[in-house]
Amino acid sequence: VQLQAFGGGSVQAGGSLRLSCAVSGRSFSNYVMGWFRQAPGKERVFVAGTGRSGGSILYAESVKGRFTISRDNAKNTVDLQMNSLKVEDTAVYYCAAGSNFPMVIATMRAWGQGTLVTVSS
């Protein structure tokens, strides 16, 4: 499976961005999908994840109420709608596919290339 993330950019604090991840290959619906981020000088961390059907969803505490993850198994895509962005949301965002839910970085099986989100004050 191959993943390609896009939709990053620069935005002022309080603004919104929508990230998308297109997944090629077979059996997209067999994977749990997640978004992770890595801020400059920091480790990569979990942001949001969804189970195979989209019915199970988890968010990091830092983004709860502001970010929304969704997947479309017909289109092989997983999106991350980010609202009320904060300066501390600045990071490279990665989509990933895995087998385990809840998900952890070590068990994710495939990663997208990352897309940069910059939030300015």
Side-chain angles (χ1 to χ4, degrees):
V1 62
Q2 293 183 325
L3 293 76
Q4 184 175 7
F6 51 95
S10 297
V11 65
Q12 287 192 323
S16 298
L17 280 175
R18 187 176 184 89
L19 306 183
S20 293
C21 180
V23 182
S24 60
R26 297 182 295 178
S27 303
F28 171 72
S29 60
N30 286 345
Y31 293 98
V32 300
M33 296 298 300
W35 286 95
F36 298 77
R37 68 187 181 187
Q38 187 165 15
K42 296 188 177 180
E43 294 184 348
R44 193 174 300 187
V45 297
F46 170 78
V47 174
T50 175
R52 292 171 177 80
S53 67
S56 299
I57 291 178
L58 287 174
Y59 296 100
E61 285 297 324
S62 59
V63 306
K64 244 178 221 182
R66 300 187 298 121
F67 289 13
T68 302
I69 188 172
S70 60
R71 68 184 294 163
D72 188 332
N73 284 351
K75 297 181 179 179
N76 285 15
T77 58
V78 57
D79 293 348
L80 186 68
Q81 176 66 41
M82 305 185 295
N83 298 328
S84 302
L85 282 161
K86 303 177 180 179
V87 173
E88 51 264 42
D89 294 319
T90 295
V92 177
Y93 284 71
Y94 299 89
C95 59
S99 301
N100 301 320
F101 191 87
M103 54 194 64
V104 294
I105 291 175
T107 63
M108 302 308 286
R109 299 174 64 180
W111 293 86
Q113 83 283 8
T115 184
L116 177 64
V117 171
T118 303
V119 184
S120 58
S121 59

